[in-house]
Amino acid sequence: MTTKLAPINKDRLDSLIAKGTSDPTQVRTIKCRTITEARFRQLNFVRNLPAHVIDEPPALLGDDTAPNPSEAVLAALGSCIAVGIHANAVAQGIELSSIELELEGDLNITSVWGTGDTGPKPVGFTAVRVRVKLDARAERETLTRLLAHAVEWSPVTGTILNPVPVDVRLA
């Protein structure tokens, strides 16, 4: 491949690294407001960005206008790992021309949000597979370490792998 990824500003990355190193206790609260627009089409508002739309495919009674929630989880996972790969490649001086991730997950949908077969079964993904293609000027072993590090420090991977308390109640 002859193209090169748009550069990350190394000075700003180093500044961000220094900030995180200076106070490892920093915690940031991230917010999202979700509003049902129609049927299963959800508008998700984050910061001052335009709505991030989530919908369901026709087989799940949606209008097929956007990824469904489970697909959005895969997209978030892939995006988080890709960001980690890119940032760490820049920090380590590894030149990347491209990053491509293919994700797939196994999901039992027979319970249909608790309205179908509610017999005992796992709810949520039972397996997720991620295949990463990197075009880089580096040895495979270096790229394998880069990927392992990005996965280890991915907040989305950590959220999926580790139990997280979720508090859901009426406002």
Side-chain angles (χ1 to χ4, degrees):
M1 187 166 266
T2 57
T3 61
K4 186 176 175 185
L5 294 173
I8 294 173
N9 183 300
K10 177 83 163 83
D11 292 335
R12 291 187 63 200
L13 177 63
D14 288 342
S15 176
L16 190 59
I17 291 167
K19 183 178 177 184
T21 304
S22 71
D23 182 5
T25 64
Q26 290 183 49
V27 174
R28 172 183 267 167
T29 299
I30 297 172
K31 298 179 181 183
C32 174
R33 184 171 50 100
T34 301
I35 299 172
T36 299
E37 182 182 48
R39 281 190 275 246
F40 290 141
R41 184 178 162 91
Q42 312 300 318
L43 304 179
N44 297 277
F45 297 93
V46 177
R47 298 189 313 264
N48 295 326
L49 300 171
H52 174 84
V53 180
I54 300 290
D55 197 356
E56 291 286 356
L60 294 174
L61 310 179
D63 294 322
D64 207 20
T65 62
N68 72 23
S70 298
E71 293 164 333
V73 168
L74 291 180
L77 176 61
S79 296
C80 192
I81 293 170
V83 166
I85 291 167
H86 198 177
N88 281 280
V90 169
Q92 296 174 33
I94 299 170
E95 185 178 318
L96 290 174
S97 295
S98 69
I99 302 169
E100 181 179 335
L101 287 77
E102 294 182 12
L103 296 91
E104 60 183 25
D106 302 329
L107 188 65
N108 183 323
I109 61 168
T110 60
S111 63
V112 193
W113 315 289
T115 63
D117 172 19
T118 56
K121 69 176 69 60
V123 176
F125 286 112
T126 56
V128 173
R129 292 168 296 283
V130 182
R131 299 298 171 255
V132 180
K133 297 176 188 174
L134 300 176
D135 184 3
R137 293 184 190 194
E139 299 291 326
R140 184 172 181 88
E141 182 179 311
T142 300
L143 297 177
T144 298
R145 282 193 309 271
L146 173 69
L147 176 59
H149 185 79
V151 169
E152 178 182 359
W153 291 99
S154 160
V156 176
T157 302
T159 300
I160 291 171
L161 292 174
N162 303 306
V164 176
V166 177
D167 178 8
V168 179
R169 58 181 129 171
L170 290 174

